[in-house]
Structures are given as structure tokens and as C-alpha cells.
Amino acid sequence: MNEEELNEMIIKCPACAAEGVAKSIMKEIEIPHFGKVLETTIQCPSCGFKHSDIIALEQNDPAKYVIEINKNNLSVRIVRSQSATVSIPEVGVKVEPGPKSEGYVTNIEGILTRFESAVKKALNLFDDEESQINAKKTLEHIQELKKGNETATLIILDPFGQSNIVSEKVEILEIPEEELHELKTGFSHIENK
Ligand SMILES: [Zn+2]
């Protein structure tokens, strides 16, 4: 993966409105067998706000990407645009696009790590025993997948075809019309308080 820093700008922070401290960094990332992706990261040292987004420079059709998570696929490159829904049905985890969702380039292991920290956060919020037990089971399942001890299915649905699983083992399917209507798109906007 080649990265090239294109542009760094000082901007007004979209979260706390501080002037002259927040940075917007634009990077062009070349992903083999996929193409170029533009990554923008905004960071504010004043309030800690951080947001990343990616734009694939080549637009594709709406698509459903499916791959098996197993010990040989953990390093498979993943491009997740902020309009994509990512799920692992066997584990019962799903992330849908929303105003705060981010676009990023990672690999399958990185996706598992993101789910792992989301479940850990949830674990701290639940106080009833049943939810605690369920969250712990989910956490263990994710950790076993990370170690390559188990297999499951990773599904990425992207109504704008901006995401990708970069592997010859990926199955690319059309999104059925009904499913397409139900998908959240999480259109890009930064929440202003
Ligand atoms: Zn700020």
C-alpha cells in the first residue's frame, strides 16, 4: 500500500469551532487491485475531535461483498466507505452507516479489532447479567476469529459500490432491490453541536 500525503490544512474545528488548531490531512492511497482512495482525516488537539473519511476515486455499482473469515484471510485488505454496512452474521455484529461512521482502509483483522472494541464498550454499559453474558460470548467469538481458530462470514453491503474486499476469494453479488431500499446510507455530514 503506497501512501502519498497530498495536502495538509489548518481549519476551523467542526466540533468545537476553535480557530487555527484543527488539521485536515488529505492522503492518496494506492491499493493494489482496487485503485486509488482519497483519505481525509480531521484532527483537533483542542477538543480531541477526530474524523476520517475515504472516497474511492473509481465509482462502482451497488454491491454486496462476501468473504470467509479464516486464518488465511486475516490480512485481506478491506476498504470500508462510510456508506457501507459491515456485518458478521455468525457473531451477530453489524455496523451501519450513520452521521458518525467513518470510512477507512484496513484488513479483516482490523475489522475484527473494531468490533472487539465496540463490544468491550457495550460491555461496560450493560448492567444486567444476561446482556453481560451475551456480550462476553460475542467478545470471545471475535477473539477466536482473530486468532484464526474459527471461521465466519464477513459481509459488506455498499449502495454506492465504494467499498471493497481486495481478494480473489471475495464473492461479489448484486444487492437485491428490497435490501437496497432498506440500507442506511449515512450521508456525509459532520454533526455540529
Ligand atoms: Zn475541536
Side-chain angles (χ1 to χ4, degrees):
M1 192 165 68
N2 295 315
E3 288 188 19
E4 192 189 338
E5 205 144 303
L6 290 181
N7 195 341
E8 196 177 305
M9 267 187 313
I10 298 294
I11 57 161
K12 181 177 166 181
C13 175
C16 73
E19 300 268 6
V21 288
K23 248 191 227 172
S24 160
I25 303 156
M26 210 180 260
K27 266 185 201 164
E28 196 175 86
I29 307 172
E30 168 94 50
I31 300 165
H33 315 293
F34 179 65
K36 282 179 183 167
V37 165
L38 204 59
E39 183 195 64
T40 311
T41 306
I42 298 170
Q43 281 171 305
C44 174
S46 175
C47 69
F49 176 81
K50 189 171 181 285
H51 186 84
S52 308
D53 193 12
I54 59 146
I55 303 162
L57 299 180
E58 288 137 68
Q59 179 108 27
N60 298 304
D61 292 326
K64 180 174 182 171
Y65 307 90
V66 182
I67 195 165
E68 188 185 65
I69 303 172
N70 61 43
K71 62 176 188 303
N72 301 318
N73 284 351
L74 292 172
S75 62
V76 164
R77 187 71 56 201
I78 305 285
V79 181
R80 192 257 168 168
S81 83
Q82 69 168 29
S83 55
T85 297
V86 183
S87 66
I88 308 172
E90 293 91 338
V91 182
V93 289
K94 186 190 222 178
V95 57
E96 289 183 311
K100 284 187 177 165
S101 64
E102 298 193 304
Y104 48 82
V105 178
T106 183
N107 56 25
I108 291 183
E109 193 183 352
I111 293 276
L112 292 170
T113 303
R114 280 169 185 267
F115 275 127
E116 188 182 11
S117 50
V119 176
K120 276 183 186 163
K121 260 186 217 162
L123 200 56
N124 292 327
L125 297 174
F126 296 145
D127 43 19
D128 67 294
E129 207 178 334
E130 203 190 330
S131 308
Q132 284 274 347
I133 291 168
N134 285 337
K136 273 181 195 155
K137 266 188 207 154
T138 305
L139 195 59
E140 277 164 24
H141 202 160
I142 295 169
Q143 286 163 347
E144 286 306 302
L145 287 170
K146 270 180 86 177
K147 287 182 209 153
N149 293 340
E150 281 187 46
T151 63
T153 319
L154 177 68
I155 303 174
I156 298 182
L157 284 153
D158 192 330
F160 305 109
Q162 293 255 304
S163 300
N164 213 326
I165 295 174
V166 190
S167 166
E168 66 264 22
K169 288 174 203 142
V170 68
E171 201 182 340
I172 303 173
L173 308 160
E174 273 182 39
I175 305 178
E177 199 68 22
E178 300 156 37
E179 230 175 302
L180 196 56
H181 289 306
E182 281 168 22
L183 280 182
K184 295 188 181 145
T185 57
F187 260 111
S188 177
H189 54 90
I190 294 164
E191 280 186 321
N192 279 307
K193 278 179 201 157

